[in-house]
Amino acid sequence: MEPPHLYPVMLYVYDLSKGLARRLSPIMLGKQLEGIWHTSIVVHRDEFFFGSGGISSCPPGGTLLGPPDSVVDVGSTEVTEEIFLEYLSSLGESLFRGEAYNLFEHNCNTFSNEVAQFLTGRKIPSYITDLPSEVLSTPFGQALRPLLDSIQIQPPGGNNVGRPTGQS
Amino acid sequence: MPHVTARTPRMAQSGSPKNLPADQDASSTSTRVIVKTPGKEQDFIVADDTSVRQFKEKLSAHFNCQTDQIVLVFMGRLLRDHDTLTQRGILDGHTIYLVIKSKHGSPPLAHCSTDMSTSKACSRDESIDENSSGVHQPGSVNEIPVDSPLLMKPEVSTEQNQNLETGTSEHMAQMLNNSSFQQLMLNMNLMRQFIDEHAEMQQLVQQNPEVFQILDNSEILWQTLELARNLTIIQEIMQTQPSAQNLEPPQNPQPYLGGETIPGGEDTLGQIYADFSDQTPNHVHESSGGNCVTNLLSGQVPEQVQCSRSVPPPAQEQRDQLPQLPTTRVIYTGSCGLSSANATLNRMSHTARVSASTGSAKDQSYKCALQQPAGVPALLSIQPTQPPQEEGKDDISPRDFDQRLEDEWLLWDEQTSSQITGTMMQLLMNNSSLAAQMMMLLSLPQLSEQWKQQMLQTQLSDLLVSLANPKASQAILQIEQGLHLLATEAPDLLPCVAPYLWGLGWFPAPSCSYPDIDMASWSWDVHNVPEPKEPESCHKSEAVTQNLKSLAKDNSHFLQAPEIRLSKQMKYLRAMGFGNHHANLQALIATEGDTNAAIRKLKRSQGF
């Protein structure tokens, strides 16, 4: 039997604050945060991410954020592009619609984590997924929670991943 | 369909594969696996030696699809039919992902130019670049670089494409009547995108970054859109109006600095406007504004006269309401004034005036703001450049108007720009936050050096007067030094000090944009904003520090000179009946000894 074809899966990590969080977080939050992380999954030579506009895709590094601040190797997958897109479509209709976006609870990192697990069975590094709880555990984060809750992040530069209507 | 959530191995699932032992006892051969589909999760009990194929069959029954459509993924590996679950290492409690393939095949990815990536998307990409450059270019903190979230709904892109292509009024009417379009228009972000990304708007913005500032103000946009919604009504009104006549301007349009108005000249002009506007119904304003809006939206240059200048600023209440003016409005008129492109100026001012004339209570302040002496220079500079383009619709004959304008024009022409800045400086002293905004404008690279120097000089002369108390000037010096120190030692803290800077009427540090940021959309350019601003504010601090230092030294010395210098004029003023010595002195200083101008200034400020 031929060995199954494996596709590498990468996690692109962006610091939305461009270094500001690292400098200001001790002052503002009382604890050190290395960054405000936005992540996306890169597989099949495409980058996939979730924002307030739903699931989007673009060429790797193709959002307005530019190249990632770090890249994490998540593993490899046998899932083909076709199957993956199917999966994303159904995700985009169910769990990851644009209006479901919430900065703390259901954000780009939630999506990346979900997709990474689907593709490889592994989760993304915990420092990324722990970020919301880190922030919320500070008085500052608690105080700003209503404001932060309303923030919607959508990196420009992607195209929506959708499913044509009338599918089974 | 059987309900599945089997938590205990004892519960057998109906429709289970044949290999499941008939007895319900927990069997070590059965495994509980979690099957995750996008959106939900279910537990399944299977026997250990279940083959993948059998499992798929079971699932297909459960999910109501064909077995061939089912794809199972475990740990990133596709489960092939001939394997058993245990062979793949699937043990108790593991999660298997299920994807149901669609019958027609998966949709191609968007970057290969599907329906989603219409020209809209392409233009979005390039416009993003232009937007980002447009955003950074003015460098003014006042203009909040908000990249609104791109809402990528199919209806949106198609409709927007339609909008771009159709320019005729019928289409416009149709579109406007479309309720979904109206909903789109309600979405500020969307419309902002739309306006921003239109190709001609891009050009416009690149030529005149102040336009971008205008457009970036959501309130103006909102009101413009309100007008546009009534466009059909407006169009009807427009048709009933005589087209404006292009009367020849008395002189060639002059660049801003040359054609600046005199504070005194505002008086007469104000009266003219008052007469004119009293007879102009409000809807005329709207219609002209609507026309502007149409033109704006369709990206045409409103060279036609209808759009321009039909609305002499409703000049009424202006000066009395000096203290109340909302800062931001003046900024727009201020930024209007700073542009040297008259056509653009017209457009912007009309947008501003359009907003002004929409006629809510809030807009009263618009009108007031527009009439502020600080704001008026902007508008009045328009008047000289294109005075006669009002619509000759009402009782005042345009010629009358025009002639009076000509007279005024000559008068204005004699005056220097420092007078207007003197007025502005007075305004600024009265309203420190306004001063802060103006200082922000100072940091605009587009401002001419001359303007900056004039501002500083006039600021000097007025500061002199008000800093008669040497201790006050010393205190301010100390603050300045403190800020300087802070800027060098810990520039990161400058944002924290921003509130204090505001109070001092100085450079609103970058973080002043933070409260203003519409937090519903995140600003990507946050990181860019603080950095360029900090060195600039340091630089400015230095300049002002130096000024103040020289002030402090020469304080009394300098003060003497004007008084002596201007004693003659002072006497004259007193003879005329202006008793306030201090005000007289200020006025004379501002007008640099021109008695007539000073008189006008005083009259205005004292509310004649």
Side-chain angles (χ1 to χ4, degrees):
Chain A
M1 302 208 281
E2 79 284 3
H5 190 80
L6 288 178
Y7 307 96
V9 180
M10 302 292 230
L11 180 78
Y12 276 18
V13 184
Y14 302 84
D15 178 8
L16 290 179
S17 69
K18 298 286 182 191
L20 272 187
R22 190 173 54 246
R23 283 195 290 165
L24 294 182
S25 60
I27 304 172
M28 296 175 68
L29 295 181
K31 59 166 73 165
Q32 178 71 40
L33 291 181
E34 291 305 316
I36 311 291
W37 307 117
H38 164 83
T39 56
S40 58
I41 291 286
V42 175
V43 66
H44 298 298
R45 292 182 304 280
D46 276 313
E47 179 174 348
F48 300 91
F49 54 95
F50 175 62
S52 52
I55 303 179
S56 309
S57 75
C58 66
T63 65
L64 205 60
L65 298 170
D69 294 295
S70 63
V71 177
V72 176
D73 185 4
V74 187
S76 51
T77 187
E78 285 181 13
V79 175
T80 64
E81 185 167 1
E82 182 193 0
I83 300 174
F84 183 56
L85 290 176
E86 283 275 352
Y87 171 74
L88 284 186
S89 301
S90 50
L91 262 194
E93 288 176 354
S94 58
L95 207 53
F96 286 96
R97 286 159 294 125
E99 50 268 22
Y101 185 89
N102 177 278
L103 187 69
F104 282 113
E105 325 236 308
H106 200 67
N107 57 21
C108 51
N109 302 325
T110 320
F111 171 77
S112 300
N113 206 8
E114 183 77 27
V115 172
Q117 287 182 65
F118 168 75
L119 286 176
T120 65
R122 291 160 60 179
K123 297 189 174 179
I124 65 179
S126 62
Y127 70 86
I128 298 171
T129 48
D130 289 343
L131 184 65
S133 56
E134 287 275 333
V135 171
L136 285 179
S137 68
T138 66
F140 184 79
Q142 282 292 335
L144 279 194
R145 169 129 202 209
L147 177 67
L148 296 175
D149 252 344
S150 68
I151 294 180
Q152 307 262 303
I153 297 186
Q154 175 63 38
N159 302 315
N160 210 350
V161 173
R163 184 203 286 258
T165 55
Q167 281 299 336
S168 63
Chain B
M1 298 303 284
H3 180 60
V4 186
T5 55
R7 284 288 164 187
T8 66
R10 292 184 184 274
M11 283 180 67
Q13 177 186 354
S14 58
S16 57
K18 323 165 200 154
N19 296 350
L20 198 66
D23 58 48
Q24 304 303 314
D25 288 340
S27 148
S28 55
T29 61
S30 67
T31 317
R32 175 181 64 89
V33 293
I34 304 168
V35 176
K36 269 185 98 156
T37 59
K40 51 186 177 162
E41 225 179 85
Q42 283 174 346
D43 288 2
F44 282 85
I45 300 292
V46 290
D48 279 352
D49 50 356
T50 309
S51 74
V52 173
R53 178 86 198 165
Q54 291 163 336
F55 192 45
K56 279 190 182 177
E57 283 165 6
K58 180 162 134 184
L59 290 172
S60 69
H62 184 83
F63 288 100
N64 214 7
C65 57
Q66 296 175 3
T67 313
D68 295 338
Q69 286 180 280
I70 291 190
V71 176
L72 294 174
V73 180
F74 177 69
M75 296 300 288
R77 302 293 178 266
L78 299 170
L79 299 183
R80 317 244 177 227
D81 290 354
H82 51 265
D83 288 334
T84 69
L85 297 181
T86 37
Q87 265 181 348
R88 303 303 313 225
I90 298 172
L91 301 176
D92 215 26
H94 282 179
T95 303
I96 302 178
Y97 287 87
L98 170 73
V99 179
I100 298 176
K101 282 198 285 203
S102 58
K103 286 182 182 145
H104 308 294
S106 63
L109 197 51
H111 70 268
C112 317
S113 280
T114 59
D115 57 338
M116 290 310 302
S117 65
T118 55
S119 59
K120 171 74 181 143
C122 301
S123 69
R124 194 194 306 121
D125 288 337
E126 20 170 284
S127 71
I128 283 169
D129 295 343
E130 298 186 40
N131 254 352
S132 53
S133 62
V135 156
H136 294 305
Q137 205 172 349
S140 163
V141 178
N142 184 37
E143 154 256 319
I144 295 154
V146 174
D147 276 330
S148 21
L150 298 181
L151 306 175
M152 303 188 228
K153 302 187 180 114
E155 324 93 58
V156 164
S157 57
T158 47
E159 274 205 50
Q160 283 177 345
N161 280 330
Q162 288 169 7
N163 296 348
L164 290 176
E165 290 153 18
T166 63
T168 67
S169 55
E170 295 157 359
H171 280 128
M172 287 289 290
Q174 278 174 15
M175 285 191 314
L176 285 171
N177 289 333
N178 188 355
S179 60
S180 59
F181 183 70
Q182 300 222 348
Q183 279 186 359
L184 286 184
M185 292 188 77
L186 281 172
N187 185 333
M188 267 314 304
N189 294 333
L190 212 54
M191 289 314 295
R192 181 182 298 155
Q193 264 181 56
F194 175 60
I195 291 175
D196 284 348
E197 291 169 21
H198 194 279
E200 297 191 35
M201 286 307 300
Q202 294 289 338
Q203 289 174 13
L204 186 65
V205 165
Q206 280 164 4
Q207 292 162 10
N208 303 285
E210 293 86 355
V211 175
F212 187 83
Q213 289 182 12
I214 291 267
L215 290 177
D216 220 20
N217 176 282
S218 57
E219 286 200 70
I220 285 187
L221 271 180
W222 174 77
Q223 299 201 359
T224 311
L225 291 171
E226 289 276 346
L227 279 171
R229 278 189 216 109
N230 299 325
L231 208 56
T232 47
I233 306 170
I234 289 166
Q235 281 179 346
E236 286 175 21
I237 295 173
M238 279 305 298
Q239 288 165 4
T240 65
Q241 288 182 3
S243 57
Q245 300 305 313
N246 255 323
L247 305 172
E248 270 189 323
Q251 294 189 13
N252 296 329
Q254 304 204 0
Y256 171 57
L257 289 177
E260 279 173 28
T261 62
I262 307 150
E266 295 164 7
D267 251 353
T268 332
L269 196 63
Q271 287 163 15
I272 298 173
Y273 292 156
D275 294 339
F276 189 81
S277 63
D278 285 346
Q279 302 169 20
T280 310
N282 206 18
H283 67 268
V284 173
H285 299 193
E286 280 195 3
S287 64
S288 56
N291 208 355
C292 280
V293 169
T294 324
N295 290 340
L296 265 180
L297 284 181
S298 57
Q300 301 163 13
V301 175
E303 273 155 8
Q304 294 78 6
V305 175
Q306 286 106 347
C307 187
S308 63
R309 281 278 325 145
S310 59
V311 190
Q316 322 84 342
E317 321 76 75
Q318 348 130 340
R319 300 138 197 136
D320 314 319
Q321 314 216 10
L322 218 157
Q324 303 165 6
L325 64 90
T327 319
T328 51
R329 316 294 173 252
V330 180
I331 298 313
Y332 294 113
T333 54
S335 65
C336 279
L338 295 169
S339 161
S340 58
N342 293 326
T344 324
L345 195 54
N346 274 336
R347 255 176 272 139
M348 290 187 325
S349 61
H350 287 294
T351 317
R353 269 185 231 141
V354 154
S355 320
S357 60
T358 318
S360 64
K362 185 168 61 165
D363 294 328
Q364 284 304 317
S365 58
Y366 263 120
K367 292 177 191 172
C368 306
L370 287 173
Q371 302 326 308
Q372 284 314 319
V376 171
L379 296 168
L380 289 184
S381 68
I382 304 168
Q383 321 325 349
T385 57
Q386 304 193 12
Q389 293 175 3
E390 72 281 1
E391 301 187 355
K393 75 175 308 253
D394 288 312
D395 304 346
I396 285 195
S397 70
R399 280 181 204 267
D400 234 4
F401 190 88
D402 194 26
Q403 272 187 359
R404 288 155 88 181
L405 273 177
E406 280 195 42
D407 301 337
E408 285 313 309
W409 179 276
L410 294 171
L411 263 181
W412 298 336
D413 220 31
E414 297 164 16
Q415 302 295 330
T416 68
S417 57
S418 63
Q419 294 167 1
I420 206 53
T421 61
T423 325
M424 288 178 77
M425 283 305 117
Q426 255 196 344
L427 236 198
L428 292 179
M429 298 306 295
N430 292 337
N431 189 337
S432 65
S433 57
L434 179 57
Q437 296 273 6
M438 288 300 295
M439 295 308 281
M440 247 178 345
L441 284 176
L442 273 189
S443 62
L444 283 177
Q446 287 78 15
L447 272 179
S448 65
E449 277 307 309
Q450 188 183 3
W451 173 246
K452 281 187 196 171
Q453 285 164 14
Q454 281 170 356
M455 290 275 283
L456 284 175
Q457 284 166 12
T458 328
Q459 186 180 22
L460 259 184
S461 58
D462 279 356
L463 277 176
L464 279 179
V465 173
S466 50
L467 283 180
N469 182 0
K471 285 197 179 169
S473 57
Q474 272 183 16
I476 293 185
L477 265 179
Q478 281 179 3
I479 296 174
E480 188 60 40
Q481 285 165 2
L483 283 171
H484 205 57
L485 194 63
L486 191 66
T488 48
E489 291 293 310
D492 298 337
L493 287 181
L494 266 182
C496 306
V497 185
Y500 305 103
L501 295 179
W502 269 88
L504 289 174
W506 266 319
F507 324 101
S511 70
C512 82
S513 65
Y514 292 162
D516 293 340
I517 281 182
D518 177 14
M519 291 301 266
S521 57
W522 188 269
S523 161
W524 294 116
D525 302 300
V526 155
H527 62 284
N528 273 331
V529 167
E531 279 146 33
K533 276 300 138 196
E534 280 168 21
E536 255 189 274
S537 64
C538 288
H539 167 70
K540 286 285 184 252
S541 318
E542 286 180 22
V544 181
T545 314
Q546 287 162 9
N547 290 335
L548 284 179
K549 278 185 184 156
S550 60
L551 270 185
K553 286 177 204 154
D554 309 341
N555 210 351
S556 52
H557 172 73
F558 205 162
L559 262 184
Q560 294 268 341
E563 287 210 12
I564 298 171
R565 207 167 19 108
L566 301 169
S567 55
K568 276 192 194 162
Q569 287 92 333
M570 292 290 291
K571 279 187 203 155
Y572 185 61
L573 283 178
R574 246 195 315 270
M576 296 217 29
F578 294 102
N580 187 342
H581 178 88
H582 184 69
N584 292 352
L585 186 62
Q586 272 191 328
L588 278 173
I589 290 174
T591 63
E592 292 196 8
D594 183 334
T595 329
N596 285 334
I599 289 169
R600 278 188 279 258
K601 207 158 123 77
L602 285 167
K603 267 174 64 182
R604 193 174 20 81
S605 67
Q606 286 166 15
F608 54 131

